[in-house]
Every structure is written in structure tokens, then in C-alpha cells.
């Protein structure tokens, strides 16, 4: 499976036991198109794994390059052409730290998108005062969610709070949960419980399984006997697939977008059609409704036409591609607002003072006010959408036009 970003989502709250080790090393690849602006170049770095036996994200690297191509066609950031550096983490914790040090040594303006499950990157960037924009937020040390140089815009860590509402939207009336029997899973499960109360569907039954479980047939049977027609999944990889394709045609399931392989879901056939996901961004098929999404696809097309095979349409994903592309948009928009010289320090200061930042696909961002939930202070977007799997199209399609405010759901569920 090529993409399993969401598999490591559990690392944010469940530690190394649920994390896939991600990333490593640096190859210093450059891209982003031909610069058309004047001034000294500025460097942006993406840290993400490619070419490994584990999770790989070439589509994110392509999205950052495509975005930089567009920035340079518009004149750069404050007249400075943009160069893209890619540091390949190679799924190695030591090499991940080497990537962070490379960002320091290369004097990058910012790191735009980081996929890192092992942790250790943010402390190095923080010491150097380098902003990290659009990190995945799945590092096992939790630093991406708490470091004051981190600006996270994908709220996937809140997916359990939104899933009950999505399952109700999909037609479920009694919602259960399948999670690991680890204390480290408690926070995700607690969010699901709050989300269930807020949606008027308290979680019942709540089933816990060993992380080593391979046969989920008894678990699916338990859900059926309890009368559950929906289930929030706080399990990953094969355990999640086993529940989704577990043989109960009436059971709707919910997970986080980016968690599950489209290639594997396609092998499940119509059995996967009851799957819904909580998504950070609109689906790519909604480009007609979102001009900025349409522009992203156009820039990706230009990058593919320029010879970047990783930018081709079949590799694009509404979660990873859009998130990486938006990271560069933030660097551009905020960078152009800097007074005086554009430096790493001035960009970080401007980011911290930015509010009302409109990216066109998510609500305006306010970087001046940290998230009120301890441990996830640096998640600045908590609005999510729903999508459902369509086995005929082998992709996700919008569940509906609604958006869901994770913080509101958590607050209502806790009251």
C-alpha cells in the first residue's frame, strides 16, 4: 500500500505502539518551476518519505513543487523566487532528525509539510526558529501539535469526534466502536464518546481488541448482536479493513481520510460502500465549487506536464495533496505580508500575528489563538467534512455539503 498517512494518526495520541516509523535522510532535490521574479531565491523544504518499503508520499512532494511553480509564475514571495528542497526521511528516526538539521544548514525560509511518525524534527526546528507549516501532526512525541513554531491545518487528529455525526448522516442510528485495548487509545476513544453524545447517538457497544488481533469476525458479530448499524474505527491497517469488509451488509463504518488505501478498498468491492471518512478538505471532485481547489489541480497538471510523474492525476489525494499544496499557499500569503526583509525570523513573527487567512478551501485561519485543548494547541483548523467510498468509481465522493466543527462537537459532548 502506497499511502498510509492515517495509519500513523494514532501516533499523535497512542505513541509508538500505534505509530509507523516514518521518514529519514535528505536528498536535496530541487524543483518548483522556473523562477520569473527578481531577488535572491528563498528555500522551502518538504520532509516526507519516498521510495521506501513503508509509507511513501511522492504526491505530497509533487504538490509542493507544483505550488512553488505557481508562486514563481506570480513573482515569487516578496519578489524572491522559491526553490524547493525535498528531504527523504526513508522511514528512519535518525535520518528524520538529519532532515531537520539539513533545514537549518540550508537556511530554509520554512518547512512546508512534514510527514514524520518517529518525532524529533520539531525540537531542532524550534531551536533554529524555523516555522513548520502544515505538518501532518502524527509524530509520536506530539511535538508537531504543541511546538510554537508549528502551524497545523489538517484536523485529522479529531476524526473520532466527527465520525458519529457522519455515521448518522449516512443512515446509522445505533453506533458502536472498535478500538485497541491500550490505555494510549483512550484519548481517541474519549473523543468518539463525546462525538456520539453530541450527535444524539451514545457509543454502544464499545469493543476493545488486542493490537495483535488478526481475526475480527467475532468483533463484527458482537456489533451485530448489539444492534449496532454503525461503528467508529479506532483501529488501523488490517484490523480496520477486517471490520469494513467483515460481512455485515448493514454495518456502516467511519475512519479518517488518508488512513486507508484506495487500492485495498477496491479489493473489498461493494462491501466497502458503507465506509465514510472524516476529511480535512473537500474532495478533488468538488473543484467546481472551490476555485482554489481548481487552481491546485491546474498547477498539478502543469507540474505533470513539466515531467514530474509524481504529479499525475491518479496519485493525487484530497488529504495529502491538498494539505501539502496549502502549506506553500500559507508561506506565500503570509510571506507577502511581511514588513521589511523576508527572513525566517520575520516570516515566523508574521505567522504568529496572522488572523483571517483565507485559503479558499477551509475556514479562515487565526494563528494568533492556539487551540484550547491541551496537547493539540497548534491545530488551527478544526472543521471537517464527510466523504463516502464509492466502489464503482474506486474513490471517495462527498457525503454531503455539511461541515462539522470538531471543537463544538467535543464541547457539546462533554457538557
Amino acid at each position: 500500500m502506497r499511502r498510509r498517512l492515517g495509519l500513523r494518526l494514532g501516533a499523535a495520541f497512542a505513541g509508538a505502539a500505534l505509530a509507523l516509523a516514518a521518514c529519514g535522510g535528505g536528498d536535496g532535490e530541487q524543483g518548483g518551476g522556473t523562477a520569473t521574479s527578481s531577488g535572491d531565491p528563498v528555500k522551502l523544504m518538504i520532509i516526507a518519505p519516498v521510495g521506501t518499503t513503508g509509507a511513501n508520499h511522492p504526491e505530497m512532494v509533487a504538490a509542493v513543487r507544483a505550488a512553488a511553480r505557481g508562486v514563481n509564475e506570480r513573482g515569487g514571495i516578496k519578489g524572491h523566487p522559491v526553490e524547493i528542497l525535498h528531504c527523504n526521511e526513508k522511514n528512519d528516526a535518525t535520518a528524520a532528525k538529519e532532515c531537520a538539521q539539513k533545514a537549518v544548514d540550508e537556511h530554509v525560509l520554512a518547512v512546508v509539510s512534514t510527514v514524520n511518525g518517529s518525532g524529533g524534527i520539531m525540537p531542532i526546528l524550534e531551536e533554529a526558529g524555523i516555522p513548520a507549516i502544515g505538518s501532518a501532526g502524527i509524530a509520536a512525541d506530539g511535538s508537531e501539535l504543541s511546538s510554537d513554531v508549528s502551524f497545523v491545518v489538517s484536523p485529522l487528529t479529531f476524526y473520532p469526534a466527527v465520525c458519529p455525526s457522519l455515521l448518522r448522516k449516512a443512515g446509522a442510528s445505533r453506533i458502536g466502536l472498535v478500538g485497541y485495548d491500550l490505555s494510549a487509545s483512550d484519548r481517541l476513544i474519549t473523543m468518539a464518546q463525546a462525538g456520539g453524545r453530541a450527535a444524539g447517538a451514545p457509543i454502544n457497544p464499545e469493543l476493545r481488541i488486542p493490537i495483535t488481533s488478526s481475526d475480527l469476525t467475532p468483533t463484527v458479530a458482537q456489533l451485530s448482536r448489539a444492534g449496532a448499524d454503525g461503528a467508529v474505527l479506532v483501529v488501523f491497517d488490517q484490523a480496520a479493513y477486517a471490520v469494513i469488509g467483515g460481512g455485515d451488509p448493514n454495518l456502516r463504518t467511519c475512519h479518517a481520510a488518508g488512513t486507508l488505501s484506495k487500492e485495498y478498498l477496491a479489493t473489498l468491492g461493494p462491501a466497502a460502500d458503507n465506509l465514510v471518512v472524516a476529511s480535512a478538505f473537500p474532495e478533488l471532485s468538488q473543484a467546481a465549487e472551490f476555485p482554489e481547489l481548481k487552481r491546485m489541480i491546474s498547477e498539478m497538471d502543469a507540474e505533470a506536464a513539466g515531467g514530474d510523474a509524481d504529479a499525475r492525476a491518479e496519485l493525487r489525494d484530497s488529504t495529502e495533496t491538498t494539505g501539502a499544496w496549502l502549506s506553500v499557499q500559507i508561506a506565500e500569503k503570509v510571506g507577502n505580508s511581511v514588513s521589511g526583509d523576508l527572513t525566517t525570523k520575520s516570516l515566523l513573527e508574521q505567522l504568529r500575528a496572522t488572523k483571517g487567512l483565507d485559503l479558499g478551501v477551509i475556514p479562515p485561519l487565526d494563528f494568533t489563538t492556539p487551540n484550547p485543548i491541551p496537547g493539540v494547541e497548534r491545530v488551527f483548523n478544526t472543521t471537517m467534512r464527510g466523504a463516502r467510498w464509492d466502489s464503482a468509481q474506486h474513490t471517495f465522493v462527498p457525503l454531503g455539503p455539511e461541515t462539522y466543527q470538531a471543537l463544538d462537537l467535543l464541547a457539546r459532548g462533554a457538557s
Side-chain angles (χ1 to χ4, degrees), residues 331-363:
E332 178 190 18
K333 291 177 179 291
V334 176
N336 282 334
S337 299
V338 168
S339 298
D341 293 338
L342 179 64
T343 64
T344 301
K345 180 180 179 180
S346 64
L347 177 63
L348 180 58
E349 290 176 348
Q350 188 65 39
L351 281 164
R352 290 170 172 167
T354 294
K355 60 173 60 177
L357 179 62
D358 189 358
L359 300 174
V361 295
I362 57 177

mmCIF file of all heavy atoms in Angstrom, residues 331-363:
data_model
loop_
_atom_site.group_PDB
_atom_site.id
_atom_site.type_symbol
_atom_site.label_atom_id
_atom_site.label_comp_id
_atom_site.label_asym_id
_atom_site.label_seq_id
_atom_site.Cartn_x
_atom_site.Cartn_y
_atom_site.Cartn_z
ATOM 1 N N ALA A 331 2.742 29.927 3.145
ATOM 2 C CA ALA A 331 4.055 30.586 3.104
ATOM 3 C C ALA A 331 4.035 31.788 2.174
ATOM 4 O O ALA A 331 4.608 32.848 2.487
ATOM 5 C CB ALA A 331 5.122 29.585 2.673
ATOM 6 N N GLU A 332 3.357 31.642 1.037
ATOM 7 C CA GLU A 332 3.292 32.746 0.080
ATOM 8 C C GLU A 332 2.473 33.914 0.625
ATOM 9 O O GLU A 332 2.934 35.069 0.632
ATOM 10 C CB GLU A 332 2.674 32.256 -1.230
ATOM 11 C CG GLU A 332 2.524 33.373 -2.272
ATOM 12 C CD GLU A 332 1.689 32.964 -3.473
ATOM 13 O OE1 GLU A 332 0.941 31.953 -3.384
ATOM 14 O OE2 GLU A 332 1.759 33.668 -4.500
ATOM 15 N N LYS A 333 1.248 33.627 1.073
ATOM 16 C CA LYS A 333 0.362 34.702 1.507
ATOM 17 C C LYS A 333 0.910 35.439 2.730
ATOM 18 O O LYS A 333 0.889 36.672 2.782
ATOM 19 C CB LYS A 333 -1.035 34.133 1.814
ATOM 20 C CG LYS A 333 -1.798 33.660 0.585
ATOM 21 C CD LYS A 333 -3.137 33.047 0.985
ATOM 22 C CE LYS A 333 -3.929 32.591 -0.228
ATOM 23 N NZ LYS A 333 -4.405 33.712 -1.056
ATOM 24 N N VAL A 334 1.393 34.678 3.700
ATOM 25 C CA VAL A 334 1.923 35.304 4.903
ATOM 26 C C VAL A 334 3.256 35.979 4.597
ATOM 27 O O VAL A 334 3.527 37.088 5.077
ATOM 28 C CB VAL A 334 2.070 34.277 6.035
ATOM 29 C CG1 VAL A 334 2.708 34.919 7.268
ATOM 30 C CG2 VAL A 334 0.705 33.696 6.396
ATOM 31 N N GLY A 335 4.088 35.352 3.787
ATOM 32 C CA GLY A 335 5.369 35.949 3.418
ATOM 33 C C GLY A 335 5.211 37.277 2.708
ATOM 34 O O GLY A 335 5.980 38.218 2.943
ATOM 35 N N ASN A 336 4.205 37.375 1.851
ATOM 36 C CA ASN A 336 3.972 38.633 1.137
ATOM 37 C C ASN A 336 3.481 39.747 2.062
ATOM 38 O O ASN A 336 3.502 40.925 1.686
ATOM 39 C CB ASN A 336 2.962 38.418 0.014
ATOM 40 C CG ASN A 336 3.579 37.762 -1.212
ATOM 41 O OD1 ASN A 336 4.778 37.886 -1.452
ATOM 42 N ND2 ASN A 336 2.763 37.065 -1.982
ATOM 43 N N SER A 337 3.042 39.372 3.259
ATOM 44 C CA SER A 337 2.569 40.368 4.222
ATOM 45 C C SER A 337 3.661 40.863 5.164
ATOM 46 O O SER A 337 3.425 41.772 5.964
ATOM 47 C CB SER A 337 1.424 39.767 5.066
ATOM 48 O OG SER A 337 0.328 39.393 4.259
ATOM 49 N N VAL A 338 4.843 40.260 5.083
ATOM 50 C CA VAL A 338 5.945 40.650 5.962
ATOM 51 C C VAL A 338 6.386 42.078 5.660
ATOM 52 O O VAL A 338 6.540 42.468 4.506
ATOM 53 C CB VAL A 338 7.138 39.679 5.783
ATOM 54 C CG1 VAL A 338 8.389 40.221 6.458
ATOM 55 C CG2 VAL A 338 6.777 38.311 6.348
ATOM 56 N N SER A 339 6.587 42.846 6.700
ATOM 57 C CA SER A 339 7.136 44.200 6.541
ATOM 58 C C SER A 339 8.660 44.100 6.598
ATOM 59 O O SER A 339 9.211 43.427 7.471
ATOM 60 C CB SER A 339 6.633 45.125 7.652
ATOM 61 O OG SER A 339 5.228 45.253 7.594
ATOM 62 N N GLY A 340 9.310 44.761 5.679
ATOM 63 C CA GLY A 340 10.768 44.714 5.673
ATOM 64 C C GLY A 340 11.284 43.460 4.994
ATOM 65 O O GLY A 340 10.612 42.858 4.154
ATOM 66 N N ASP A 341 12.473 43.041 5.359
ATOM 67 C CA ASP A 341 13.120 41.908 4.708
ATOM 68 C C ASP A 341 12.399 40.599 5.030
ATOM 69 O O ASP A 341 11.923 40.391 6.149
ATOM 70 C CB ASP A 341 14.582 41.799 5.146
ATOM 71 C CG ASP A 341 15.428 42.958 4.657
ATOM 72 O OD1 ASP A 341 15.026 43.607 3.663
ATOM 73 O OD2 ASP A 341 16.479 43.229 5.278
ATOM 74 N N LEU A 342 12.365 39.726 4.033
ATOM 75 C CA LEU A 342 11.782 38.408 4.218
ATOM 76 C C LEU A 342 12.863 37.462 4.734
ATOM 77 O O LEU A 342 13.812 37.123 4.028
ATOM 78 C CB LEU A 342 11.231 37.874 2.891
ATOM 79 C CG LEU A 342 10.607 36.464 2.936
ATOM 80 C CD1 LEU A 342 9.382 36.443 3.836
ATOM 81 C CD2 LEU A 342 10.248 35.999 1.529
ATOM 82 N N THR A 343 12.744 37.066 5.976
ATOM 83 C CA THR A 343 13.686 36.143 6.607
ATOM 84 C C THR A 343 12.888 35.077 7.347
ATOM 85 O O THR A 343 11.671 35.202 7.526
ATOM 86 C CB THR A 343 14.604 36.867 7.604
ATOM 87 O OG1 THR A 343 13.787 37.381 8.684
ATOM 88 C CG2 THR A 343 15.345 38.023 6.942
ATOM 89 N N THR A 344 13.571 34.053 7.788
ATOM 90 C CA THR A 344 12.908 33.029 8.591
ATOM 91 C C THR A 344 12.274 33.647 9.824
ATOM 92 O O THR A 344 11.132 33.340 10.188
ATOM 93 C CB THR A 344 13.923 31.945 8.993
ATOM 94 O OG1 THR A 344 14.472 31.365 7.819
ATOM 95 C CG2 THR A 344 13.265 30.864 9.821
ATOM 96 N N LYS A 345 13.001 34.540 10.473
ATOM 97 C CA LYS A 345 12.503 35.173 11.690
ATOM 98 C C LYS A 345 11.284 36.037 11.399
ATOM 99 O O LYS A 345 10.278 35.976 12.123
ATOM 100 C CB LYS A 345 13.601 36.012 12.333
ATOM 101 C CG LYS A 345 13.169 36.708 13.611
ATOM 102 C CD LYS A 345 14.301 37.526 14.226
ATOM 103 C CE LYS A 345 13.853 38.235 15.492
ATOM 104 N NZ LYS A 345 14.957 39.047 16.093
ATOM 105 N N SER A 346 11.355 36.853 10.329
ATOM 106 C CA SER A 346 10.232 37.745 10.038
ATOM 107 C C SER A 346 9.004 36.957 9.590
ATOM 108 O O SER A 346 7.875 37.339 9.888
ATOM 109 C CB SER A 346 10.627 38.776 8.984
ATOM 110 O OG SER A 346 10.927 38.176 7.738
ATOM 111 N N LEU A 347 9.215 35.838 8.889
ATOM 112 C CA LEU A 347 8.079 35.015 8.486
ATOM 113 C C LEU A 347 7.424 34.383 9.711
ATOM 114 O O LEU A 347 6.191 34.373 9.827
ATOM 115 C CB LEU A 347 8.526 33.919 7.518
ATOM 116 C CG LEU A 347 7.429 32.943 7.083
ATOM 117 C CD1 LEU A 347 6.327 33.675 6.321
ATOM 118 C CD2 LEU A 347 7.997 31.805 6.245
ATOM 119 N N LEU A 348 8.223 33.883 10.646
ATOM 120 C CA LEU A 348 7.667 33.278 11.852
ATOM 121 C C LEU A 348 6.883 34.309 12.654
ATOM 122 O O LEU A 348 5.773 34.038 13.140
ATOM 123 C CB LEU A 348 8.783 32.677 12.699
ATOM 124 C CG LEU A 348 8.361 31.994 14.008
ATOM 125 C CD1 LEU A 348 7.369 30.875 13.748
ATOM 126 C CD2 LEU A 348 9.592 31.458 14.747
ATOM 127 N N GLU A 349 7.423 35.509 12.779
ATOM 128 C CA GLU A 349 6.725 36.563 13.507
ATOM 129 C C GLU A 349 5.405 36.914 12.822
ATOM 130 O O GLU A 349 4.382 37.127 13.493
ATOM 131 C CB GLU A 349 7.612 37.802 13.619
ATOM 132 C CG GLU A 349 8.813 37.603 14.555
ATOM 133 C CD GLU A 349 9.739 38.815 14.572
ATOM 134 O OE1 GLU A 349 9.581 39.695 13.696
ATOM 135 O OE2 GLU A 349 10.617 38.872 15.455
ATOM 136 N N GLN A 350 5.423 36.973 11.493
ATOM 137 C CA GLN A 350 4.203 37.309 10.760
ATOM 138 C C GLN A 350 3.167 36.187 10.871
ATOM 139 O O GLN A 350 1.964 36.456 10.997
ATOM 140 C CB GLN A 350 4.522 37.578 9.286
ATOM 141 C CG GLN A 350 3.355 38.133 8.482
ATOM 142 C CD GLN A 350 2.928 39.510 8.964
ATOM 143 O OE1 GLN A 350 3.760 40.340 9.321
ATOM 144 N NE2 GLN A 350 1.628 39.768 8.970
ATOM 145 N N LEU A 351 3.616 34.954 10.844
ATOM 146 C CA LEU A 351 2.695 33.835 11.036
ATOM 147 C C LEU A 351 1.999 33.945 12.387
ATOM 148 O O LEU A 351 0.767 33.780 12.480
ATOM 149 C CB LEU A 351 3.457 32.509 10.949
ATOM 150 C CG LEU A 351 3.799 31.995 9.554
ATOM 151 C CD1 LEU A 351 4.874 30.906 9.629
ATOM 152 C CD2 LEU A 351 2.551 31.437 8.856
ATOM 153 N N ARG A 352 2.768 34.221 13.418
ATOM 154 C CA ARG A 352 2.193 34.303 14.767
ATOM 155 C C ARG A 352 1.214 35.457 14.913
ATOM 156 O O ARG A 352 0.363 35.449 15.815
ATOM 157 C CB ARG A 352 3.318 34.429 15.786
ATOM 158 C CG ARG A 352 4.144 33.162 15.956
ATOM 159 C CD ARG A 352 5.385 33.400 16.779
ATOM 160 N NE ARG A 352 6.078 32.138 17.104
ATOM 161 C CZ ARG A 352 7.302 32.069 17.596
ATOM 162 N NH1 ARG A 352 7.991 33.194 17.831
ATOM 163 N NH2 ARG A 352 7.849 30.899 17.853
ATOM 164 N N ALA A 353 1.301 36.445 14.031
ATOM 165 C CA ALA A 353 0.417 37.612 14.101
ATOM 166 C C ALA A 353 -0.733 37.539 13.101
ATOM 167 O O ALA A 353 -1.534 38.468 13.006
ATOM 168 C CB ALA A 353 1.229 38.887 13.845
ATOM 169 N N THR A 354 -0.831 36.433 12.368
ATOM 170 C CA THR A 354 -1.802 36.330 11.283
ATOM 171 C C THR A 354 -3.153 35.817 11.769
ATOM 172 O O THR A 354 -3.240 34.827 12.483
ATOM 173 C CB THR A 354 -1.269 35.378 10.179
ATOM 174 O OG1 THR A 354 -0.121 35.978 9.565
ATOM 175 C CG2 THR A 354 -2.328 35.117 9.125
ATOM 176 N N LYS A 355 -4.188 36.508 11.349
ATOM 177 C CA LYS A 355 -5.556 36.053 11.569
ATOM 178 C C LYS A 355 -6.371 36.358 10.320
ATOM 179 O O LYS A 355 -6.011 37.212 9.518
ATOM 180 C CB LYS A 355 -6.181 36.705 12.806
ATOM 181 C CG LYS A 355 -6.255 38.220 12.755
ATOM 182 C CD LYS A 355 -7.035 38.790 13.939
ATOM 183 C CE LYS A 355 -6.405 38.431 15.259
ATOM 184 N NZ LYS A 355 -7.139 39.065 16.408
ATOM 185 N N GLY A 356 -7.455 35.633 10.137
ATOM 186 C CA GLY A 356 -8.305 35.848 8.969
ATOM 187 C C GLY A 356 -7.652 35.414 7.668
ATOM 188 O O GLY A 356 -7.977 35.958 6.606
ATOM 189 N N LEU A 357 -6.776 34.425 7.698
ATOM 190 C CA LEU A 357 -6.082 33.960 6.492
ATOM 191 C C LEU A 357 -7.012 33.044 5.704
ATOM 192 O O LEU A 357 -7.326 31.938 6.124
ATOM 193 C CB LEU A 357 -4.797 33.225 6.870
ATOM 194 C CG LEU A 357 -3.966 32.656 5.723
ATOM 195 C CD1 LEU A 357 -3.478 33.762 4.808
ATOM 196 C CD2 LEU A 357 -2.790 31.841 6.263
ATOM 197 N N ASP A 358 -7.438 33.505 4.542
ATOM 198 C CA ASP A 358 -8.419 32.782 3.729
ATOM 199 C C ASP A 358 -7.706 32.000 2.633
ATOM 200 O O ASP A 358 -7.111 32.579 1.727
ATOM 201 C CB ASP A 358 -9.419 33.763 3.118
ATOM 202 C CG ASP A 358 -10.587 33.053 2.455
ATOM 203 O OD1 ASP A 358 -10.598 31.803 2.436
ATOM 204 O OD2 ASP A 358 -11.490 33.746 1.950
ATOM 205 N N LEU A 359 -7.790 30.678 2.722
ATOM 206 C CA LEU A 359 -7.170 29.805 1.725
ATOM 207 C C LEU A 359 -8.182 29.237 0.740
ATOM 208 O O LEU A 359 -7.809 28.493 -0.169
ATOM 209 C CB LEU A 359 -6.435 28.654 2.419
ATOM 210 C CG LEU A 359 -5.314 29.064 3.380
ATOM 211 C CD1 LEU A 359 -4.779 27.835 4.096
ATOM 212 C CD2 LEU A 359 -4.201 29.793 2.647
ATOM 213 N N GLY A 360 -9.434 29.570 0.931
ATOM 214 C CA GLY A 360 -10.446 29.205 -0.052
ATOM 215 C C GLY A 360 -11.068 27.830 0.101
ATOM 216 O O GLY A 360 -12.143 27.588 -0.445
ATOM 217 N N VAL A 361 -10.440 26.921 0.838
ATOM 218 C CA VAL A 361 -10.990 25.566 0.970
ATOM 219 C C VAL A 361 -11.279 25.174 2.419
ATOM 220 O O VAL A 361 -11.899 24.144 2.670
ATOM 221 C CB VAL A 361 -10.048 24.515 0.331
ATOM 222 C CG1 VAL A 361 -9.943 24.721 -1.166
ATOM 223 C CG2 VAL A 361 -8.673 24.543 0.970
ATOM 224 N N ILE A 362 -10.812 25.985 3.346
ATOM 225 C CA ILE A 362 -11.102 25.783 4.764
ATOM 226 C C ILE A 362 -11.468 27.138 5.353
ATOM 227 O O ILE A 362 -11.197 28.180 4.736
ATOM 228 C CB ILE A 362 -9.901 25.171 5.522
ATOM 229 C CG1 ILE A 362 -8.647 26.062 5.366
ATOM 230 C CG2 ILE A 362 -9.618 23.758 5.039
ATOM 231 C CD1 ILE A 362 -7.439 25.554 6.141
ATOM 232 N N PRO A 363 -12.079 27.181 6.524
ATOM 233 C CA PRO A 363 -12.409 28.469 7.138
ATOM 234 C C PRO A 363 -11.150 29.303 7.361
ATOM 235 O O PRO A 363 -10.047 28.765 7.512
ATOM 236 C CB PRO A 363 -13.060 28.078 8.458
ATOM 237 C CG PRO A 363 -13.592 26.702 8.229
ATOM 238 C CD PRO A 363 -12.603 26.046 7.312
#
